[in-house]
Amino acid sequence: MSTQLYIKDIQSLFEDVQRSKIFDDQKTMTDAVPLFPISEINKKYEKEKNTEGFDLKSFVLSNFDFLGTKINLERENKLPINLHINQLWDELSRNAPVEKGTLLKLPKPYIVPGGRFNEFFYWDSYYVMLGLQASGRIEMMENIVENCSYLIHTFGFVPNASRTHFLSRSQPPYFSLMLDLLAESTNNGEIYSKYYSTLEKEYLFWMDGEKELESNCASKRVIKTKEGATLNRYYDAENEPRPESYLIDIEDYKKPANEDFYRNIRAACESGWDFSSRWFADGDKIQTIETLNLAQVDLNCLLWHLEKTLAETSELQNLSEKQEYYRLRAENRKKAIDQYFWDPEGKIYRDYHIKKHQHTASESIATLYPLFLKLANLGQAKAVSETIAEKFLYQGGIVTTTKNSGQQWDFPNAWAPYQWLGFLSMKNYGFDDLAEKIKTNWCLNVERVYNNTGKLMEKYNALDTETIAGGGEYPNQDGFGWTNGVYLKLKQN
């Protein structure tokens, strides 16, 4: 039975629950599954909420199901790490054949990250696929691609995660890279043609609003620079508190700071980096968040890859006009990436501030993307490799930024995706010793934490390898999809 729930359908009750802090985690209520028709629950709530002795938590627990909101991965016996991860693939597998609460239905089984996250996440799934490839689990890789395709054809894009309250934003567009991985794993180049319409549809989502755009303006996810070049930014269709962090957002909002505060917060979530000093105007306080004012180097590199894939797939299908169209788009974006993101003095790629017409001050590990996708020339790659070795690589892996702000996507935390990007980026340009050091430092950190705790974490402390990483809106989670994937893939290389 389908019990699809949109938060706005229970807005009054939802706000009261989030503000009252009856649950430790604000995500708990967003994952609730109604036990009765929504209209019935709302009517009952309006009738009972002002009566004497009314208990909000009891009301919620008697009208909603909270089964499975937390994944328990405790073990009595600690297995060798590789065996543990192989078992985890099964434990992190889920099916959603029908809508249930805010959870969207998906046609195929999928892998969830772990911990408090029990839904399908977009960019996480690419890094999960690396580990599935290493484990020989090709069918689950195919499932992930099929689920992404279903979401793109149903909603026009892959949502941040498979819940109704994420239908206003996506995440870094990795679908074309997922196809590369699947084609490599199956030795089947026909995969690109099979998903050609999916690639095109996702591209339309990211470029929506471009046609009417004048120079020095932005619309949705598209930016036109004052010189007339087209770039992209992260965005969100809504400008209100996130349901999954409702109270946090309300408490962070300080009038009259920024009328687009909530949209800037949500746009940072679309980047996957929630949160980082990378997005803050003053590099320090979340109240100064200005994600919408930035063209991001990672996003533009990923969209270059999508354009390149579309050009190549058009050629496969003898669509010469489309091939030329996408080839030109990729070529123009490659030039723009070089023009707007490369900082030769800083020896780093930086985000571009579209209002100030200059690089941002933030030094972030997103500088790896042009090397990961082989967009950098050898001189640029060498300069970036020196910056990585000097400023980003620590005993426990590569950090995400050089600034310690207390946010989870800042120093001193090391996240799995960037260990793989760092390793492969250095390999791409022949910096094999540095690639090996990145791999070794992080893998040893993962193994140390696993030996001490029996867990694979969402993120790691790269500086102090005696501790577990912190920061963020919730405790460090265990499970953990992309850590498992990157660890297995690195150990295989």
Side-chain angles (χ1 to χ4, degrees), residues 24-170:
D24 291 339
D25 188 344
Q26 291 265 295
K27 189 179 186 296
T28 304
M29 190 61 194
T30 66
D31 294 3
V33 179
L35 294 168
F36 310 103
I38 297 300
S39 57
E40 204 179 292
I41 294 173
N42 282 335
K43 200 181 289 182
K44 212 188 310 179
Y45 181 60
E46 290 307 312
K47 187 179 172 186
E48 294 177 18
K49 67 177 182 181
N50 294 320
T51 58
E52 195 179 335
F54 175 75
D55 184 272
L56 181 58
K57 189 167 188 176
S58 297
F59 177 87
V60 170
L61 293 175
S62 59
N63 284 280
F64 294 87
D65 186 356
F66 292 89
L67 287 175
T69 52
K70 179 89 168 108
I71 298 166
N72 183 12
L73 300 166
E74 292 297 324
R75 289 282 187 290
E76 280 182 30
N77 302 313
K78 200 190 305 171
L79 295 167
I81 190 167
N82 283 33
L83 291 175
H84 177 73
I85 292 172
N86 267 303
Q87 275 196 7
L88 280 177
W89 293 139
D90 297 323
E91 292 180 37
L92 295 171
S93 294
R94 294 290 178 276
N95 270 301
V98 296
E99 292 98 351
K100 208 169 186 185
T102 58
L103 195 67
L104 300 171
K105 73 174 181 184
L106 287 170
K108 300 286 185 181
Y110 53 93
I111 304 284
V112 299
R116 73 204 277 266
F117 303 109
N118 48 26
E119 51 278 299
F120 176 86
F121 276 80
Y122 184 10
W123 80 307
D124 292 58
S125 296
Y126 174 77
Y127 294 95
V128 164
M129 283 176 73
L130 291 172
L132 293 171
Q133 183 189 47
S135 300
R137 296 190 178 221
I138 309 303
E139 188 181 350
M140 186 58 89
M141 294 177 71
E142 292 170 337
N143 291 344
I144 287 171
V145 167
E146 193 60 28
N147 283 330
C148 286
S149 182
Y150 165 80
L151 289 165
I152 289 167
H153 284 288
T154 305
F155 301 108
F157 62 101
V158 184
N160 181 152
S162 59
R163 290 196 178 273
T164 55
H165 50 279
F166 291 132
L167 290 174
S168 58
R169 66 174 176 268
S170 186

Side-chain angles (χ1 to χ4, degrees), residues 119-236:
E119 51 278 299
F120 176 86
F121 276 80
Y122 184 10
W123 80 307
D124 292 58
S125 296
Y126 174 77
Y127 294 95
V128 164
M129 283 176 73
L130 291 172
L132 293 171
Q133 183 189 47
S135 300
R137 296 190 178 221
I138 309 303
E139 188 181 350
M140 186 58 89
M141 294 177 71
E142 292 170 337
N143 291 344
I144 287 171
V145 167
E146 193 60 28
N147 283 330
C148 286
S149 182
Y150 165 80
L151 289 165
I152 289 167
H153 284 288
T154 305
F155 301 108
F157 62 101
V158 184
N160 181 152
S162 59
R163 290 196 178 273
T164 55
H165 50 279
F166 291 132
L167 290 174
S168 58
R169 66 174 176 268
S170 186
Q171 268 194 334
Y174 267 84
F175 185 70
S176 56
L177 280 158
M178 289 176 173
L179 294 187
D180 284 354
L181 214 50
L182 190 54
E184 179 191 305
S185 305
T186 56
N187 205 18
N188 177 10
E190 289 175 19
I191 279 164
Y192 297 99
S193 296
K194 179 182 177 181
Y195 291 107
Y196 183 67
S197 65
T198 314
L199 289 162
E200 281 206 303
K201 192 151 188 163
E202 181 172 49
Y203 188 63
L204 286 174
F205 166 78
W206 286 96
M207 302 313 294
D208 185 25
E210 181 193 10
K211 284 193 177 72
E212 311 76 43
L213 208 52
E214 295 176 5
S215 294
N216 207 20
C217 290
S219 174
K220 297 179 185 172
R221 292 165 175 82
V222 193
I223 288 159
K224 208 160 243 184
T225 66
K226 61 177 180 156
E227 295 83 9
T230 300
L231 292 170
N232 286 75
R233 66 176 180 176
Y234 294 112
Y235 184 77
D236 190 296

Side-chain angles (χ1 to χ4, degrees), residues 73 84 88 92 113-115 455-458 477-481 484:
L73 300 166
H84 177 73
L88 280 177
L92 295 171
K455 296 176 181 180
L456 287 122
M457 296 297 187
E458 181 186 17
Q477 302 295 301
D478 70 318
F480 196 88
N484 308 344

Side-chain angles (χ1 to χ4, degrees), residues 381-444:
K382 188 173 188 308
V384 170
S385 74
E386 289 165 6
T387 301
I388 296 300
E390 186 189 327
K391 294 186 172 183
F392 287 87
L393 181 58
Y394 286 83
Q395 188 183 346
I398 296 177
V399 295
T400 40
T401 70
T402 54
K403 186 173 178 66
N404 189 345
S405 69
Q407 298 292 342
Q408 66 172 353
W409 283 90
D410 274 329
F411 183 90
N413 287 347
W415 294 75
Y418 289 96
Q419 315 311 310
W420 174 248
L421 294 192
F423 174 79
L424 200 62
S425 295
M426 296 309 125
K427 280 282 189 191
N428 283 344
Y429 291 88
F431 305 119
D432 291 354
D433 289 349
L434 184 54
E436 208 55 38
K437 198 170 180 194
I438 290 166
K439 166 185 164 178
T440 303
N441 287 18
W442 185 73
C443 286
L444 285 173

Side-chain angles (χ1 to χ4, degrees), residues 199-420:
L199 289 162
E200 281 206 303
K201 192 151 188 163
E202 181 172 49
Y203 188 63
L204 286 174
F205 166 78
W206 286 96
M207 302 313 294
D208 185 25
E210 181 193 10
K211 284 193 177 72
E212 311 76 43
L213 208 52
E214 295 176 5
S215 294
N216 207 20
C217 290
S219 174
K220 297 179 185 172
R221 292 165 175 82
V222 193
I223 288 159
K224 208 160 243 184
T225 66
K226 61 177 180 156
E227 295 83 9
T230 300
L231 292 170
N232 286 75
R233 66 176 180 176
Y234 294 112
Y235 184 77
D236 190 296
E238 295 186 0
N239 186 26
E240 54 191 43
R242 294 167 296 151
E244 72 279 14
S245 301
Y246 187 81
L247 200 58
I248 295 166
D249 283 358
I250 285 172
E251 287 171 352
D252 280 341
Y253 181 62
K254 299 275 194 292
K255 287 186 178 177
N258 179 349
E259 63 180 27
D260 271 331
F261 175 77
Y262 295 128
R263 200 191 306 277
N264 275 293
I265 286 281
R266 288 162 164 266
C269 294
E270 183 166 86
S271 80
W273 285 45
D274 40 332
F275 293 100
S276 167
S277 59
R278 181 183 176 191
W279 313 128
F280 305 162
D282 69 353
D284 189 32
K285 293 188 290 297
I286 200 165
Q287 284 74 27
T288 69
I289 193 165
E290 58 167 356
T291 325
L292 298 171
N293 287 338
L294 313 178
Q296 293 90 6
V297 61
D298 43 1
L299 175 59
N300 283 279
C301 289
L302 290 167
L303 288 171
W304 170 83
H305 185 272
L306 177 51
E307 288 162 344
K308 173 177 156 288
T309 305
L310 279 163
E312 290 166 353
T313 311
S314 298
E315 185 180 12
L316 283 176
Q317 304 198 86
N318 298 313
L319 300 168
S320 53
E321 275 185 38
K322 283 191 172 184
Q323 179 199 346
E324 184 56 22
Y325 171 74
Y326 290 121
R327 187 195 64 75
L328 196 59
R329 301 235 60 174
E331 197 177 283
N332 288 338
R333 194 181 295 268
K334 184 176 180 178
K335 286 177 192 160
I337 287 167
D338 209 45
Q339 180 181 347
Y340 291 99
F341 300 116
W342 176 239
D343 171 12
E345 287 173 23
K347 299 201 294 189
I348 195 168
Y349 287 90
R350 298 182 193 266
D351 296 329
Y352 183 74
H353 199 293
I354 58 179
K355 291 187 173 170
K356 295 178 180 173
H357 313 297
Q358 63 187 37
H359 293 126
T360 61
S362 177
E363 295 174 314
S364 91
I365 201 63
T367 190
L368 288 171
Y369 275 85
L371 282 71
F372 169 55
L373 295 172
K374 301 180 184 172
L375 281 160
N377 63 41
L378 191 56
Q380 290 167 325
K382 188 173 188 308
V384 170
S385 74
E386 289 165 6
T387 301
I388 296 300
E390 186 189 327
K391 294 186 172 183
F392 287 87
L393 181 58
Y394 286 83
Q395 188 183 346
I398 296 177
V399 295
T400 40
T401 70
T402 54
K403 186 173 178 66
N404 189 345
S405 69
Q407 298 292 342
Q408 66 172 353
W409 283 90
D410 274 329
F411 183 90
N413 287 347
W415 294 75
Y418 289 96
Q419 315 311 310
W420 174 248

